[in-house]
Amino acid sequence: MPELQIGNGEGDVYILLGEVPDKILNPQFNGAKAQAGDNKFMLTIDKVATYFIEKINDQFIVTIKVKEKAKMADVRVFILSSVLGALSFMKNMLPLHASGTVIEGSAVLFTGNAGVGKSTLGAAFYKKGYSFLTDNIASIVKGSENNYLVHPSYSQLRLWEDSLERLENFEEEKWKMREKVNKYNMVLNDRISISPSPLRKIYVLKQKQTNTININPIYGSQKVELLLRQTFRIKLLKGIGSQKNYFDLLNHLSKDIEVSVIERPTQTFQLDDLVNAVLNDLNCNPN
């Protein structure tokens, strides 16, 4: 898995190729492609693979049955998205659909609806000299020092073709995620965080018919609702995660962490202006 780095110590997730069950018995969640229940999760992607996760004692076993003629690059895409999101729920984390960067030692996350520019903004911060933390999924846990920690993910950005055109002078290696999709993995070679970072702030990106960039803080129940909507694969929670643990973490996070909405112009994507607006909002000096 070239997307991942070699770590230290023992892991609690094991990924292997093999046979998988036909279905999960008595699932609590039963969707078109996924089933979940009783510490188990199954995902079937046509022409790619079937993925089966089972928690056994304190270990998580991910077994993958690859479809005939499937490309392993396609198989890995779903390991690092849906499977990773399911594992986050099973491990009582809160997975946000977000990209993240490290600014002055703390994690800053960018979330929002698909196509709003989360990964592109994360890439812009990396280009400016900030450390990369995560893309696509930001898994959050409560830390031991009464704070919240964001775990690093694979050391690549996932960018659409038009986003690559906006990011000029990027020398990093890149390749297509899937043959028929114009989305690319961009390999990052340095400034990659390998340890969890304390969470400082979450920004929700939105497009609006405006000529200016506006950053507005949100409070109370609106904050909870926004983070709930931006939780990665929230439908899976019913079957494979502790709903009590999730909502306890969500409620505490909403009380303790600042969340602001960034309204950016629909017609243009002013990356430098966006980066500077975030840094000004955080009272940080540019790198």
Side-chain angles (χ1 to χ4, degrees):
M1 297 189 69
E3 297 88 354
L4 301 181
Q5 298 184 67
I6 296 174
N8 298 317
E10 292 293 324
D12 60 0
V13 177
Y14 296 84
I15 302 175
L16 53 108
L17 303 179
E19 295 299 316
V20 300
D22 293 330
K23 61 182 179 180
I24 291 176
L25 297 177
N26 303 315
Q28 293 173 290
F29 172 80
N30 197 358
K33 295 182 179 180
Q35 292 183 319
D38 191 25
N39 286 319
K40 296 180 177 68
F41 170 74
M42 179 177 286
L43 173 72
T44 300
I45 303 298
D46 292 341
K47 299 181 181 180
V48 179
T50 297
Y51 306 81
F52 178 65
I53 309 175
E54 184 174 19
K55 183 180 180 182
I56 302 176
N57 297 323
D58 292 326
Q59 296 179 344
F60 300 85
I61 312 299
V62 183
T63 306
I64 303 168
K65 184 174 183 180
V66 179
K67 305 287 186 182
E68 186 178 358
K69 297 182 180 180
K71 296 182 182 298
M72 290 307 294
D74 291 346
V75 174
R76 297 197 306 272
V77 165
F78 294 95
I79 296 174
L80 298 173
S81 53
S82 296
V83 169
L84 192 58
L87 282 167
S88 294
F89 281 129
M90 294 175 81
K91 293 164 73 69
N92 292 322
M93 298 176 171
L94 193 160
L96 283 184
H97 192 193
S99 66
T101 188
V102 178
I103 300 175
E104 296 185 352
S106 297
V108 176
L109 299 181
F110 306 107
T111 187
N113 295 335
V116 76
K118 301 180 293 292
S119 298
T120 308
L121 185 53
F125 271 95
Y126 180 79
K127 185 179 175 183
K128 290 285 187 180
Y130 294 90
S131 293
F132 170 85
L133 180 62
T134 188
D135 189 32
N136 196 38
I137 301 177
S139 293
I140 304 169
V141 296
K142 189 75 182 292
S144 59
E145 299 180 5
N146 204 31
N147 61 358
Y148 301 87
L149 300 175
V150 182
H151 280 264
S153 69
Y154 45 89
S155 54
Q156 296 186 10
L157 283 158
R158 294 180 168 189
L159 296 168
W160 291 100
E161 194 169 42
D162 59 343
S163 295
L164 287 171
E165 293 173 359
R166 296 189 187 100
L167 295 162
E168 299 175 355
N169 303 320
F170 244 119
E171 302 298 330
E172 279 74 10
E173 177 189 359
K174 51 187 172 291
W175 69 83
K176 266 193 174 185
M177 282 175 52
R178 301 187 68 188
E179 194 171 298
K180 297 181 180 180
V181 178
N182 287 327
K183 198 170 189 178
Y184 294 80
N185 279 335
M186 178 179 287
V187 184
L188 305 179
N189 299 312
D190 56 11
R191 301 195 313 282
I192 301 165
S193 293
I194 59 174
S195 300
S197 296
L199 177 58
R200 178 172 178 179
K201 188 162 183 175
I202 300 171
Y203 291 97
V204 182
L205 283 168
K206 290 188 175 183
Q207 292 176 300
K208 192 171 183 180
Q209 295 292 344
T210 177
N211 294 322
T212 60
I213 296 168
N214 302 305
I215 299 180
N216 301 307
I218 57 173
Y219 304 98
S221 61
Q222 186 184 8
K223 190 190 292 189
V224 175
E225 291 166 7
L226 270 174
L227 295 181
L228 181 64
R229 287 201 299 269
Q230 299 305 327
T231 299
F232 190 87
R233 305 288 195 267
I234 185 63
K235 291 181 180 180
L236 299 179
L237 177 64
K238 180 180 177 182
I240 57 175
S242 166
Q243 295 185 65
K244 181 182 184 306
N245 287 342
Y246 167 83
F247 283 105
D248 282 349
L249 181 54
L250 177 66
N251 287 326
H252 283 100
L253 182 72
S254 299
K255 292 176 183 175
D256 298 338
I257 297 297
E258 292 183 18
V259 179
S260 289
V261 171
I262 300 178
E263 296 175 345
R264 73 167 184 85
T266 300
Q267 301 302 324
T268 60
F269 204 154
Q270 303 156 327
L271 273 177
D272 287 340
D273 291 342
L274 269 173
V275 169
N276 290 332
V278 170
L279 292 175
N280 287 334
D281 184 65
L282 295 172
N283 294 316
C284 295
N285 296 316
N287 272 2

